[in-house]
Amino acid sequence: MIRAAALLAVSAAFCAAQSPGSASLEGQVVRSGSGAPLNKATVTLRLAEGGAGSGVSTATGEDGRFVFADVAPGRYRLFATRNGYRAAEYGQRGSSRPGVAIAVNPGQRLADLRIALSPGAVISGRVLNEDAEGVAHVRVQALRMGYADGRRQFVPAGMASTNDLGEYRIFGLPAGRYYVAATASAPVSGESPEGEQSYPMVFFGGAADFSSAAPLSVADGAELRGIDFRLLPVRSFTVSGRVNLPADSGGRGIMVALLPRDAGPVAMMSSHRASVRPGGEFEVRRVPPGSYELVATHFDRER
């Protein structure tokens, strides 16, 4: 679908070439701070109301410059991406703010459009188990304090999964202050005398709670290596029960979650969830020791 939309945009631009009212856009992609030109950056021109999939792209040359010729009049947005840099939009002020739309009039030539790209920061390391072996398929997240649904909580800024050696690499991060946490989804192999075991979520430095976790500060383009984790198993529990279902729901759209009571802004991320069976029964497995709130939610269409 995206390719078809791009072909339609190219066709529209070709039709505009046959019209004397067609316009052109020219500019340059540079490195933020130094202003050095960036070659091989991909620049995409999209209709402001055309959706994320529409548009036509070109690559910058050695001087970082790009040209869109034979552009039909309208309102457009201009985006640039390059490997090792964070994506940016023309007119953007700050990584979390949108850019501005460009009004293109018939026959107009817009020159010196400039987009500055900032190099992305990288956080990398390994996740090991209690035997100092790499653990695969562990989700490692770089978290920033922010707001979601009007609540102050951690917001994921980047994520990676470990490979078979337990290695991970989170890239493309804006400069800032992060809390890095590792979450293993698989249970610990084997059974202990105390019963089933699991790996709880852990912050860098070994903290199990965000309040005692050590934040990391990264600058644009910096790479923090050796941000390693050691997962230690703990006895886990199974919480089961039954939900009194709404009439005719059949258990559809119902979810049960255990929310850590004292987890603060990381509560939603460290929650344990389970779906509800048609009869209303649920079972939440591999729950670490702690104090929780048990919540059942029913999603009925838009409610």
Side-chain angles (χ1 to χ4, degrees):
M1 294 296 293
I2 293 177
R3 185 176 182 182
L7 289 175
L8 287 174
V10 172
S11 298
F14 177 79
C15 292
Q18 314 307 311
S19 168
S22 61
S24 66
L25 286 79
E26 304 175 25
Q28 187 180 36
V29 178
V30 301
R31 180 186 174 106
S32 179
S34 68
L38 292 176
N39 69 329
K40 298 181 180 179
T42 300
V43 184
T44 302
L45 183 68
R46 295 175 183 156
L47 287 169
E49 289 77 31
S54 62
V56 61
S57 299
T58 188
T60 59
E62 292 293 332
D63 57 359
R65 300 198 66 81
F66 62 89
V67 177
F68 290 98
D70 307 318
V71 178
R75 282 168 47 83
Y76 295 87
R77 290 187 177 274
L78 196 61
F79 302 86
T81 59
R82 192 185 190 282
N83 188 37
Y85 291 78
R86 301 198 314 274
E89 182 182 359
Y90 173 75
Q92 188 174 5
R93 296 178 180 273
S95 60
S96 60
R97 298 183 180 181
V100 297
I102 303 170
V104 178
N105 299 316
Q108 186 178 18
R109 177 178 177 267
L110 294 175
D112 298 325
L113 299 174
R114 181 183 172 101
I115 303 178
L117 299 184
S118 298
V122 176
I123 298 175
S124 62
R126 294 188 70 196
V127 179
L128 307 175
N129 63 14
E130 66 276 20
D131 299 318
E133 300 171 334
V135 184
H137 311 301
V138 176
R139 183 180 61 183
V140 184
Q141 297 183 89
L143 311 171
R144 299 185 78 170
M145 195 65 72
Y147 288 87
D149 300 325
R151 299 174 56 189
R152 189 170 184 265
Q153 56 186 282
F154 279 128
V155 178
M159 183 182 71
S161 293
T162 57
N163 60 16
D164 60 319
L165 300 177
E167 300 166 335
Y168 75 91
R169 188 173 188 270
I170 305 174
F171 60 91
L173 295 170
R177 180 180 166 101
Y178 296 93
Y179 292 83
V180 186
T183 307
S185 57
V188 179
S189 59
E191 292 289 327
S192 71
E194 293 80 18
E196 189 176 41
Q197 292 185 306
S198 63
Y199 294 123
M201 185 179 75
V202 60
F203 287 88
F204 172 66
D209 186 277
F210 83 97
S211 62
S212 56
L216 301 173
S217 295
V218 295
D220 276 333
E223 179 166 0
L224 296 184
R225 299 183 177 91
I227 307 304
D228 300 338
F229 295 84
R230 177 66 65 91
L231 300 182
L232 299 177
V234 298
R235 181 188 178 188
S236 60
F237 298 84
T238 296
V239 178
S240 60
R242 186 175 184 276
V243 177
N244 293 324
L245 301 177
D248 302 324
S249 73
R252 294 182 298 273
I254 299 178
M255 181 69 66
V256 168
L258 283 169
L259 305 178
R261 188 181 297 272
D262 301 319
V266 79
M268 293 301 296
M269 301 186 59
S270 56
S271 64
H272 302 269
R273 302 170 183 269
S275 56
V276 175
R277 303 188 186 101
E281 298 83 7
F282 67 87
E283 185 177 83
V284 186
R285 299 189 61 190
R286 298 196 291 274
V287 181
S291 178
Y292 297 86
E293 292 181 355
L294 179 63
V295 180
T297 307
H298 180 211
F299 296 95
D300 181 11
R301 297 182 183 178
E302 300 300 323
R303 298 183 298 167

